[in-house]
Amino acid sequence: MASLPLVLFLVAVVLPVFFSKLRAAPVWLAVQALALAWNGWMRSSELSAHTLGALAEVLVLRTLLAPWLLRRAIRLRAEPNLDLMPSNLFTWVVASALLVLAFQFGAPSMSDAQALTLGVIGATVAVALLLLSTNSAPPAQLVALLFLENALALFESLLPEPWPLPVHAALSGIYLLTVGVGGWLIAAREETQ
């Protein structure tokens, strides 16, 4: 049961890269955020103010605000039908190999319950780096950066103690700043062309 949010997160990382267009990226980011919140809820042993604050941050900022800002930037973009990753056999083979390697990263600790989390984090980082290297379009690169930041948030669930609230606030600010500045740069680039 605890692996269901991780599987949902992985699906929301892999499917858009292979089969989705840029216009669908905000929806997939929102699904990732919902999976993050679900995973955080399942892993929390007690309902503290820290847990509720972290869940509220994920639900408000990552599920609602960031996808809305990204969707707004994409609407200003001339090509919402842009592929996130080039649709050719070579990049698909490379992506598949990276996914297998990412899960091999967690293989030494397969008896550990956190091996799936390590594999999902590794797969997300590998896919995001592949997106950054194969697609030079600024909106696709922004989506890749947001995937990386979601992987960082998932990494926190592996820690024995959660990060302090100021660290959460700083990471939330960085996430919001990434979406805001990235969306502004995408829109500004379109206005100058």
Side-chain angles (χ1 to χ4, degrees):
M1 182 69 175
S3 64
L4 286 178
L6 294 173
V7 171
L8 179 63
F9 187 91
L10 184 63
V11 165
V13 168
V14 173
L15 281 183
V17 171
F18 284 103
F19 305 110
S20 188
K21 302 289 184 190
L22 182 64
R23 69 175 175 266
V27 172
W28 291 110
L29 282 168
V31 171
Q32 286 178 21
L34 287 173
L36 279 172
W38 186 12
N39 186 53
W41 180 263
M42 299 279 289
R43 288 188 179 266
S44 64
S45 57
E46 60 184 49
L47 197 59
S48 65
H50 187 275
T51 303
L52 289 176
L55 289 175
E57 178 268 329
V58 168
L59 290 174
V60 172
L61 180 68
R62 294 178 192 256
T63 306
L64 300 174
L65 188 59
W68 177 76
L69 288 171
L70 183 61
R71 185 176 299 111
R72 192 171 140 241
I74 290 171
R75 280 192 191 135
L76 297 174
R77 182 88 180 131
E79 41 190 308
N81 290 326
L82 177 75
D83 288 328
L84 282 178
M85 186 173 70
S87 295
N88 62 47
L89 186 59
F90 179 73
T91 55
W92 281 34
V93 168
V94 169
S96 298
L98 286 174
L99 290 171
V100 169
L101 282 173
F103 280 95
Q104 286 300 317
F105 177 70
S109 62
M110 276 309 203
S111 62
D112 190 22
Q114 297 173 340
L116 180 61
T117 307
L118 277 175
V120 171
I121 292 168
T124 304
V125 169
V127 164
L129 292 175
L130 183 65
L131 274 178
L132 285 170
S133 66
T134 60
N135 198 333
S136 62
Q141 291 190 343
L142 176 60
V143 169
L145 287 176
L146 296 176
F147 277 23
L148 282 173
E149 294 204 20
N150 283 342
L152 180 64
L154 186 58
F155 176 75
E156 183 192 3
S157 69
L158 290 174
L159 301 176
E161 291 293 321
W163 287 325
L165 283 177
V167 174
H168 273 293
L171 290 175
S172 299
I174 290 169
Y175 192 82
L176 188 58
L177 194 64
T178 302
V179 175
V181 170
W184 176 76
L185 287 173
I186 291 166
R189 182 173 180 258
E190 282 301 311
E191 290 172 3
T192 60
Q193 291 182 351

